[in-house]
Amino acid sequence: MTPARRLHPATDESVLKRAFSCFPSGVVAVCRIADDGRTPIGMSASAFTTVSLDPPLVSVCVRNGSSTWPTLQSPTASLGVSVFASHQGEICRRMAGPPDGRFEGVHPIVGESGAVFVPGASAHLQCSVFDEVPAGDHVVVLLRIEALRSDPAVEPLVFHASSFRALEARRAGV
Ligand SMILES: Cc1cc2nc3c(=O)[nH]c(=O)nc-3n(C[C@H](O)[C@H](O)[C@H](O)COP(=O)(O)O)c2cc1C
């Protein structure tokens, strides 16, 4: 039997963050037009998961201290979720930076609903807020997909161990 390495207490946040970073994920932008009717607002999030086919649901976990989420959040708002493509690491970082510069160099696609999408992303999901579930220092936001377009041939951005990575195909199919 292989001797196991010591388990650390989960109370150590840095140990916890390190373990979470082992799980690779895609990264999305969640964006819409602000209530002024013209300014695009949004944020990057890697804590994104597909949830349900019927109804069509995805989830995003948002930190409780986020100043952007309260501006995006609204029971009537339409939110655009863009799944970043592999070459969009810079845009992803910018969308997590100072709010004024988040759309610098991006010509966002603005839907009639007010949902905002990043061009060149591998999927665009037009969503409404389905539910919000408090979960520790985050809120799990369930989003209902109202309409979408996608292209799996567009290589996705992968976030792992605090770095952006690319996927490597091993064989066709699953
Ligand atoms: C790669 C990456 C992934 C991120 N994932 C999340 C996430 O899943 N949830 C979250 O609340 N913030 C996430 N952030 C941070 C937000 O994008 C943003 O920087 C943060 O919410 C602070 O801005 P705010 O106060 O305007 O919300 C991520 C940032 C980066 C660069």
Side-chain angles (χ1 to χ4, degrees):
M1 237 194 297
T2 314
R5 275 188 291 161
R6 184 167 70 90
L7 286 172
H8 300 271
T11 44
D12 185 332
E13 195 175 295
S14 62
V15 168
L16 205 50
K17 279 184 174 170
R18 190 177 143 99
F20 283 4
S21 81
C22 292
F23 186 70
S25 66
V27 199
V28 300
V30 184
C31 311
R32 75 168 169 99
I33 289 294
D35 293 335
D36 67 5
R38 57 190 166 80
T39 312
I41 51 173
M43 64 187 283
S44 296
S46 57
F48 170 85
T49 311
T50 59
V51 174
S52 164
L53 287 172
D54 184 15
L57 300 175
V58 293
S59 70
V60 184
C61 293
V62 180
R63 194 175 51 88
N64 287 340
S66 167
S67 50
T68 302
W69 176 246
T71 65
L72 287 169
Q73 195 274 356
S74 150
T76 54
S78 187
L79 298 176
V81 173
S82 301
V83 178
F84 281 118
S86 60
H87 63 280
Q88 294 182 317
E90 265 308 303
I91 301 176
C92 172
R93 287 230 184 270
R94 225 173 293 137
M95 290 238 175
D100 283 353
R102 288 193 183 172
F103 287 86
E104 220 168 82
V106 178
H107 299 287
I109 300 166
V110 182
E112 275 176 27
S113 66
V116 167
F117 301 104
V118 177
S122 61
H124 289 158
L125 315 175
Q126 183 187 303
C127 301
S128 57
V129 176
F130 181 80
D131 203 358
E132 288 188 58
V133 183
D137 57 12
H138 280 61
V139 58
V140 181
V141 182
L142 288 168
L143 297 171
R144 185 188 178 111
I145 303 171
E146 310 290 355
L148 70 161
R149 58 183 158 246
S150 66
D151 182 357
V154 175
E155 292 287 329
L157 185 64
V158 178
F159 191 56
H160 173 260
S162 308
S163 300
F164 294 131
R165 320 249 174 178
L167 286 181
E168 183 193 338
R170 291 289 163 88
R171 63 182 168 87
V174 286

